[in-house]
Amino acid sequence: MDSFFVRFKNPLVLVIVVLLQTIGLAVQVQRAAGPAGDPADGRKISQLRYWSTMLVTPIERVLHGGGSRVRNVWSNYVDLRHTRQQNRDLQNEIARLREEQAAFAEDAEQGRRVQALLGFQHQYIATTVAAQVVGTSGSDRSRLLLIDKGLKDGLKPDQAVITPDGIVGKLRDVWDHTAQLLLINDSTAGAGVILESTRIRGIIRGAANGKVEINNLTSDSRIKPGEHVITSGGDGVFPRGLPVGVIESIVPDPEHQPYTAITIKPAADLARLEEVLVVTGTQTTLPEQAAQDADIAAATANAKRAADLAADKLPSIHDGEPPADPAAAGATPAGPTPTVVPRPQPALHPDRYTPGVTPPAADLTPGAPKGTTLPNPVTPSPAAPHPPESDASPKPQT
Amino acid sequence: MPEHSYTSRQELDQYVFHGAVTVLVPVAAVLLQSVLPRLWGRLEILDLPLIVVIYFAVSRRNPIAGTITGTVIGLLQDGLTGRPFGINGIAKAIIGYIAASLGFAVDVDNLINRVAMNFIFCLLQSALLYAIARFLVADPDAHLRPLYQLIKAACNTVVAMPIFFVLDNFRHRD
């Protein structure tokens, strides 16, 4: 018997090691697929994951810090030559966005009123924590990142992670000073979404090839490539209305007929994430800053509407002015609209009712025949601005 | 007499590594594997821990050591992913065992053998990972993607050669 174990010592060790791991694997899979359906790890597994992460995260932080310093030197001292132009462009864009914001403010306010009437609880992002990506899972089968913030910074599992471009994923395991970020293109990730124009609801999932797909919708002619996809808020993780991406392609899913595989190009660049925002708090009312912006936009919209109204009622106030240059208009930050006092145009054919041609009352003689005191009609002064013919000519009587 | 010959071959070809190298090289491989894809996403095609497992296994020519090295490195990799522990652990344990067993049969210092060995072991690991994901984890999204696996094996083989030559400097005969 001893000779058997000695002779087959090597394969026996392999079998035992593989068997133990298989049993461990089965326990983990059973736990995830059980009635509770809890995808989170058990305490011991979580502890193992913690030690694995702690082994590499401190070194990754050091490497990331060194890399950041080098990049900062480049970006702060070398790559500043286009900053002035970029600043101008950004200011122009801010002005343009303010104009757009003013245009949308009324619709938004109306939407909020309707939502309030319906008792709809909209979740607005209230607080976020900025975090740096310091590492990856190192596997092409797992889309998972490590970030440099954790429990000590107020992070918790299942919190949404976003960038200004769109959603990125959610937190999986969170430890004191680090956390795992599960990207939306991981095959175990998912989120509730709405197709922006058609308002069709779906669920995005990560595919094995790292793409993001919706595969729970049947074929629908209304769904077209290029349509924007936003979060629905129904998953309880991502607040409603955040950009997810754009539909890239729609093909029949051969493995899940009659459903279609709708591939989405994520709005956030998931392959080049540097900084992310973890949504640590939401609220049902607009955040203070956003409310102020909305008020400003509403005031701007009101002023613009008043100016438009005045322009409609008094079309002559813009007569003779050169057409506004759209670029110049965009470059001017939106502010209070200046008050314009309308002035009467000089008459083409002055008569006795024309201001300035009637003699003072002291010069008039009571009982005098008509025409004896009426001076000759005054022709317009050459210095006076001549109105454009097209605007000044009377409308033909119909 | 055959017993004596076997022992002589084993004594002649077995290499050992300093304790620091045994610990630091796998950790460095897992660390680089985690950091490199952040610099360039396509580098996730590499599997540096697999290269290290193959190297240590064929150098030590000890199947038990190869199995344990593969298991430890694989489990460390599993800890960084969101997947259950054991997927990489099982795959790399089997690779470590086979690589160590192969060390007795072929000259693993030969460049051509090294190229062939790395290429085949990389494909074997992909097949093992697919089988584990499909049949043990019951992952419906598990796909083999043959072309991608061939490219992956080729890339890892190219990267493995300089790593093998660097690591050759840290080994010595028992």
Side-chain angles (χ1 to χ4, degrees):
Chain A
M1 196 64 181
D2 279 349
S3 63
F4 173 81
F5 285 110
V6 171
R7 186 174 179 187
F8 296 104
K9 182 178 64 177
N10 293 340
L12 278 175
V13 169
L14 175 68
V15 168
I16 291 169
V17 167
V18 170
L19 197 63
L20 285 175
Q21 290 189 83
T22 306
I23 292 169
L25 199 58
V27 170
Q28 293 172 74
V29 173
Q30 188 80 14
R31 178 188 164 84
D38 184 10
D41 295 326
R43 196 172 59 84
K44 288 179 182 171
I45 295 297
S46 187
Q47 198 66 25
L48 273 174
R49 222 177 274 287
Y50 170 73
W51 286 114
S52 306
T53 309
M54 283 306 107
L55 194 64
V56 296
T57 306
I59 310 169
E60 285 175 342
R61 278 172 187 267
V62 172
L63 290 175
H64 181 263
S68 295
R69 271 191 286 278
V70 172
R71 281 195 298 274
N72 285 342
V73 167
W74 174 262
S75 59
N76 290 341
Y77 297 102
V78 181
D79 197 29
L80 282 174
R81 59 186 187 278
H82 298 307
T83 305
R84 199 180 296 274
Q85 179 61 37
Q86 284 174 352
N87 190 35
R88 269 198 296 270
D89 293 344
L90 287 172
Q91 286 196 344
N92 289 344
E93 191 170 352
I94 287 172
R96 185 180 60 77
L97 290 174
R98 277 185 177 161
E99 291 284 336
E100 286 183 10
Q101 188 186 28
F104 294 143
E106 193 173 349
D107 293 342
E109 184 56 37
Q110 189 180 6
R112 280 195 286 273
R113 279 198 301 270
V114 172
Q115 286 178 356
L117 283 173
L118 295 173
F120 182 82
Q121 293 287 306
H122 196 301
Q123 296 291 317
Y124 297 98
I125 294 172
T127 52
T128 57
V129 172
Q132 298 265 349
V133 176
V134 294
T136 71
S137 67
S139 167
D140 54 0
R141 292 168 188 265
S142 173
R143 316 284 166 184
L144 203 134
L145 300 176
L146 295 172
I147 59 173
D148 66 343
K149 297 283 168 61
L151 288 171
K152 301 278 187 193
D153 305 287
L155 272 52
K156 292 175 188 166
D158 286 337
Q159 283 179 333
V161 183
I162 61 173
T163 67
D165 296 326
I167 66 166
V168 168
K170 68 172 184 175
L171 295 185
R172 193 177 183 278
D173 288 328
V174 182
W175 298 290
D176 283 353
H177 297 289
T178 188
Q180 284 183 330
L181 159 58
L182 186 70
L183 296 176
I184 53 171
N185 61 348
D186 186 274
S187 59
T188 61
V193 296
I194 298 178
L195 309 188
E196 197 175 46
S197 59
T198 56
R199 312 309 290 177
I200 296 172
R201 284 175 177 266
I203 297 171
I204 56 164
R205 290 201 54 180
N209 56 4
K211 300 216 170 196
V212 181
E213 286 183 353
I214 300 175
N215 53 11
N216 69 328
L217 294 177
T218 52
S219 181
D220 191 326
S221 59
R222 291 175 297 165
I223 304 173
K224 298 267 190 316
E227 181 166 5
H228 288 263
V229 181
I230 57 173
T231 52
S232 68
D235 51 26
V237 175
F238 297 100
R240 186 168 171 264
L242 297 176
V244 175
V246 178
I247 292 180
E248 206 170 40
S249 66
I250 306 159
V251 293
D253 190 348
E255 294 180 11
H256 306 97
Q257 284 298 325
Y259 296 103
T260 52
I262 301 171
T263 307
I264 293 170
K265 184 182 180 189
D269 189 354
L270 302 178
R272 294 170 191 269
L273 287 173
E274 291 281 336
E275 289 92 18
V276 293
L277 293 170
V278 183
V279 180
T280 52
T282 56
Q283 60 190 47
T284 53
T285 55
L286 267 180
E288 191 178 347
Q289 182 62 46
Q292 285 177 4
D293 290 344
D295 290 343
I296 293 170
T300 310
N302 286 337
K304 194 167 183 292
R305 201 182 316 122
D308 290 345
L309 203 62
D312 288 343
K313 298 279 185 193
L314 302 167
S316 60
I317 62 171
H318 296 298
D319 293 345
E321 291 179 2
D325 180 12
T332 310
T337 308
T339 308
V340 179
V341 180
R343 286 184 302 176
Q345 299 258 324
L348 281 180
H349 308 288
D351 55 17
R352 60 180 179 172
Y353 302 108
T354 304
V357 299
T358 306
D363 298 341
L364 296 176
T365 307
K370 285 182 182 177
T372 54
T373 57
L374 190 65
N376 291 329
V378 180
T379 54
S381 164
H386 196 283
E389 285 184 10
S390 59
D391 288 341
S393 57
K395 288 180 181 176
Q397 296 292 328
T398 55
Chain B
M1 195 63 184
E3 185 72 20
H4 180 257
S5 173
Y6 177 83
T7 309
S8 299
R9 170 77 188 270
Q10 189 178 32
E11 285 174 352
L12 184 68
D13 290 342
Q14 262 190 344
Y15 293 95
V16 292
F17 297 89
H18 192 272
V21 174
T22 305
V23 173
L24 290 180
V25 169
V27 170
V30 173
L31 182 72
L32 281 173
Q33 185 67 37
S34 173
V35 171
L36 289 178
R38 206 179 68 77
L39 302 177
W40 191 39
R42 292 190 187 279
L43 289 178
E44 71 180 8
I45 201 170
L46 297 181
D47 196 340
L48 300 178
L50 173 68
I51 294 169
V52 170
V53 168
I54 295 169
Y55 183 82
F56 277 122
V58 297
S59 298
R60 288 178 174 140
R61 291 180 169 83
N62 183 337
I64 294 178
T67 303
I68 292 170
T69 304
T71 302
V72 171
I73 293 177
L75 289 177
L76 191 58
Q77 266 190 296
D78 284 329
L80 296 177
T81 69
R83 302 301 174 85
F85 270 93
I87 295 178
N88 276 290
I90 293 171
K92 284 191 168 57
I94 295 171
I95 296 287
Y97 179 86
I98 298 173
S101 304
L102 195 71
F104 292 119
V106 297
D107 176 14
V108 292
D109 288 340
N110 182 285
L111 181 65
I112 296 171
N113 287 347
R114 284 184 169 185
V115 168
M117 199 169 56
N118 272 285
F119 190 80
I120 291 167
F121 280 135
C122 195
L123 288 179
L124 178 62
Q125 186 196 238
S126 297
L128 286 169
L129 288 174
Y130 170 73
I132 293 166
R134 192 78 178 177
F135 302 112
L136 291 183
V137 184
D139 181 2
D141 293 321
H143 296 286
L144 199 52
R145 293 191 288 164
L147 180 62
Y148 175 77
Q149 300 304 342
L150 284 172
I151 294 169
K152 180 176 181 173
C155 292
N156 277 287
T157 303
V158 169
V159 172
M161 291 306 106
I163 293 176
F164 272 39
F165 282 115
V166 170
L167 291 178
D168 281 343
N169 297 315
F170 295 102
R171 67 181 184 178
H172 54 86
R173 293 185 194 282
D174 196 8

